[in-house]
Each structure stands twice: as structure tokens, then as C-alpha cells.
Amino acid sequence: MDTYIFLQHYWWFVVSLLGAILVFLLFVQGGNSLLFCLGKTEEQKKMMINSTGRKWEFTFTTLVTFGGAFFASFPLFYSTSFGGAYWLWMIILFSFVLQAVSYEFQSKSGNLLGKTTYRTFLVINGVVGPVLLGGAVATFFTGSEFYINKGNMADAAMPVISRWANAGHGLDALLNPWNVVLGLAVFFLSRILGTLYFINNINDENLVSRCRRSLWGNTGLFLLFFLAFVIRTLVADGYAVRPETGEVFMEPYKYLTNFLEMPVVLLVFLVGVLAVLWGIIRTLWKPAFDKGIWFAGVGTVLTVLSLLLVAGYNNTAYYPSTHDLQSSLTITNSCSSLFTLKVMAYVSILVPFVLAYIFYAWRSIDIRKIDAKEMKEGEHTY
């Protein structure tokens, strides 16, 4: 494997890892979506908001980093998806901005909208964010309606390479039921992770008890939608690429074949799924156990990482076009230049240090559980 091919695969791995971490960090959104379901008193709602409010910056920063890494390493995807499916991405970003505003202004003096309005905004972000992000990721397997003409680069009036083939501009993704299925799976997963995080982070017996009970319903719905999407994906035709010519064609059981031909990725997927289930089962089985978020969190990262690797590795079109099959994007036809990928690879050496800092900051913030006393006496509360 030459250097260019290695760097293409390396950067798809990095982007996939960032996407997987982002899905884990959606526990903030999942927790917020449960605000009015689990918080029965003002004190409990405040504890829930402060629990997620101390982590929302991690989610937002990872979302921006994910988009930036995609732009730098695979610019044609960025211009096609973010530039073509802009309604979908604009709604996602707006919901995250709404979240940030809600945290900062709900307790401000002179607040004209009132706490309930801003808390409703948090719930909206908690639903819209995971569902639409899950739907966007699903298009890596189901395809989108766009077409690409690189010859347009010579058009001085409008040098636009990629165009969307319909007026939906991303919202058309929601017309595909399988995109909605994965969106709902991510939504219920985020609620599971949010519940597990509350159990780990909040010291309130009544609230924690309700969190444990809510795991049953959310886990059942998550498994229903997640298994439906995975089974359908494994038995459906996939978007394969002939490495000699770059031609894209439909191949039966392509994603199942990818798993079987990449046993390490299959192992990571199975370990990830088992870790998620173990975090949930252990929490339900042992009332004193409060570390389920870490098992389920690591499992989420491993599961999503393996799914994204299957979507891009082994001669697969990671962003297929249902409008024009040959416009489908692969890690070879949509990547940056060798020089750009090399420079970025050197910069990526700093990533472990950034992750170490995040780990340190996380531990410092969560050095002790949130309780009612802190909400009454703490100077820095939402």
C-alpha cells in the first residue's frame, strides 16, 4: 500500500473515530430529552440541567471538529453534503446553537421567555439533534440524490462541482424510512446514555430510581430500531467500487461481505454491541452499580466506528448517489492531495494530548456527584 492510499485510509479512520465519539457525546442531548419525563421537581430538573450543562461544550466542539476534519481530508464530501444537503445540516446546527443559548440564558435575570421555554428548547435539541444526525449517517448506506461534474471547474460563471438533484436539499433523507429508523435508534441510544450518565453523576435517590426504570423502555426501542437497520443493511445490496477503474456498482450483501473480509472490524463491532448491552444489563441487575455509562460509552464508540469503517473501507462508496451511481464518493475520489493529507497527519499527532486534556478536565468536573446542596449553594450553576 503506497503512502497516498495509506493516508486516505488513515484519515477515514480518524473521521470515523470522531463521528463515533460524537455519537457517544450525544448523551447530553439524550439526557435533555428526558428533562420533563424524569425531573419531577424544580430541584431535580436543575440537577439534570447542570449534569449535562457541564458537558455540552464537548459535544458541540466534537461536532465542529468532525466537520472540520471531513472538510480538510475529504473536501468533495464536504462540498456535496454540507453544500447540497444544507437544510438538514442547518437544522442540526441551529438546534445545537439553540441548546447553547438555552443553557446560558434560562437563569439570567430579566429573562423574558422564562425557564420553561428555554428548557423546552433543550428538549427540542435533545430530539432533533440525534434523530437528524442518525439520519445523516444512514445515508452512508442508503444513498443521497446528488450528481457530480468535475468539468464544471472550468465554468468561470459557476464552477460548482456537485449539485443536489432535488429541492429537498437534505430533508429528502427523511423520506427514506431506513434513514428514519437509524435516526430513531441513535435517539433512543442517546437517551440510554443520558440516563446512565445521570445515574453516575447525580446523587438523588428518587431521580436515579426513575432513571433505572426508564432504561427498560428506551433499551427495548433502541434494540428494535438498531437491529432492524443492521439486519436490513447486511442483507441489502451495497455500493461497491472496482479498484481498477473506479466504477461504482451494486453488489449483493456488500456490507456483510465487508465485515467478513475485515474480521478485526467485525470483532470491534461485536465487542462494542456487547459492551453497550453489558453497561445496561449491569445497571439494571445491580442497583448499586453506577458505572454503566463507561461500558455503554466505550461500546457506542466501537460500534459506530466499525459501522463507519465498513461504509468506507474495502472498495466501498461511503457516500453513494442514488441519482447517478458514478457520482458516488469514495475515499479515493473525494480526498485531499497527498501533501495536504501528509501535513494533517503530522498535526494529528497532537490528538492524543487533546484527548488526555479532555479526560483530565472531565475527571476534574465530575470529581463528585451533583446533589441538591450544590444546587442551592453553588455559585456556578445553570
Side-chain angles (χ1 to χ4, degrees):
M1 180 181 292
D2 62 32
T3 302
Y4 199 19
I5 296 176
F6 168 78
L7 289 173
Q8 290 166 350
H9 284 74
Y10 171 76
W11 275 104
W12 182 253
F13 176 85
V14 172
V15 169
S16 299
L17 180 60
L18 287 171
I21 294 173
L22 174 61
V23 173
F24 159 60
L25 291 173
L26 289 178
F27 75 83
V28 173
Q29 278 63 42
N32 288 339
S33 73
L34 293 163
L35 184 59
F36 296 119
C37 300
L38 300 180
K40 301 303 181 182
T41 67
E42 174 62 24
E43 190 174 77
Q44 290 174 348
K45 291 174 183 176
K46 192 170 183 178
M47 285 190 286
M48 293 172 67
I49 290 171
N50 278 270
S51 180
T52 59
R54 298 173 186 182
K55 296 294 185 299
W56 75 265
E57 293 96 336
F58 291 128
T59 310
F60 193 85
T61 301
T62 304
L63 175 63
V64 174
T65 305
F66 171 72
F70 237 139
F71 170 71
S73 54
F74 300 99
L76 191 51
F77 166 80
Y78 192 89
S79 64
T80 301
S81 181
F82 290 80
Y86 52 78
W87 281 121
L88 179 66
W89 288 108
M90 285 298 292
I91 293 173
I92 292 173
L93 291 174
F94 179 76
S95 76
F96 276 87
V97 172
L98 200 64
Q99 174 205 52
V101 172
S102 299
Y103 276 123
E104 296 301 328
F105 287 94
Q106 64 175 286
S107 297
K108 294 287 187 182
S109 58
N111 175 6
L112 298 178
L113 297 179
K115 285 186 178 181
T116 301
T117 299
Y118 283 114
R119 289 175 178 178
T120 302
F121 290 162
L122 290 178
V123 174
I124 292 173
N125 171 249
V127 176
V128 172
V131 170
L132 294 189
L133 280 172
V137 171
T139 61
F140 286 7
F141 299 92
T142 61
S144 300
E145 293 195 18
F146 64 89
Y147 60 95
I148 291 176
N149 183 1
K150 293 186 178 181
N152 284 346
M153 284 295 292
D155 186 349
M158 188 172 290
V160 179
I161 296 178
S162 53
R163 295 177 183 272
W164 214 251
N166 59 57
H169 289 289
L171 294 181
D172 50 288
L174 301 179
L175 298 178
N176 185 322
W178 291 110
N179 295 341
V180 178
V181 166
L182 185 60
L184 290 173
V186 172
F187 168 63
F188 287 111
L189 175 61
S190 72
R191 286 165 73 97
I192 292 170
L193 295 173
T195 299
L196 293 173
Y197 184 69
F198 288 148
I199 294 172
N200 175 260
N201 189 241
I202 297 177
N203 182 18
D204 184 285
E205 185 177 346
N206 291 330
L207 178 57
V208 169
S209 177
R210 281 195 294 274
C211 287
R212 292 182 186 276
R213 289 197 297 269
S214 75
L215 275 176
W216 290 100
N218 286 304
T219 299
L221 290 169
F222 162 68
L223 290 175
L224 173 66
F225 290 113
F226 178 72
L227 291 177
F229 182 83
V230 170
I231 292 172
R232 183 266 175 187
T233 299
L234 294 179
V235 300
D237 293 349
Y239 298 83
V241 182
R242 299 189 196 280
E244 303 84 5
T245 62
E247 177 192 2
V248 180
F249 64 98
M250 302 303 297
E251 179 180 315
Y253 306 106
K254 173 59 177 171
Y255 301 109
L256 176 60
T257 301
N258 284 359
F259 269 125
L260 296 177
E261 293 182 352
M262 296 186 293
V264 174
V265 177
L266 176 59
L267 178 62
V268 170
F269 175 76
L270 294 176
V271 169
V273 172
L274 290 175
V276 172
L277 294 177
W278 177 249
I280 297 170
I281 293 171
R282 182 70 169 169
T283 301
L284 292 172
W285 178 27
K286 191 173 182 180
F289 184 73
D290 64 357
K291 301 295 190 296
I293 181 62
W294 302 120
F295 290 95
V298 172
T300 296
V301 172
L302 295 178
T303 302
V304 177
L305 172 63
S306 59
L307 286 174
L308 292 176
L309 293 181
V310 162
Y313 281 177
N314 200 36
N315 300 315
T316 309
Y318 71 84
Y319 199 51
S321 171
T322 55
H323 179 76
D324 174 23
L325 203 58
Q326 301 314 311
S327 291
S328 301
L329 303 185
T330 69
I331 62 175
T332 57
N333 70 11
S334 64
C335 66
S336 294
S337 66
L338 174 60
F339 174 77
T340 300
L341 295 183
K342 272 186 175 181
V343 172
M344 289 170 54
Y346 290 124
V347 175
S348 70
I349 296 174
L350 299 175
V351 170
F353 297 98
V354 175
L355 293 177
Y357 171 76
I358 291 174
F359 176 77
Y360 171 77
W362 190 298
R363 287 290 299 272
S364 299
I365 293 172
D366 286 353
I367 196 167
R368 69 184 186 88
K369 292 188 176 184
I370 292 174
D371 55 23
K373 181 180 178 181
E374 182 183 350
M375 294 299 96
K376 294 176 182 177
E377 300 177 357
E379 296 181 0
H380 303 288
T381 58
Y382 289 107

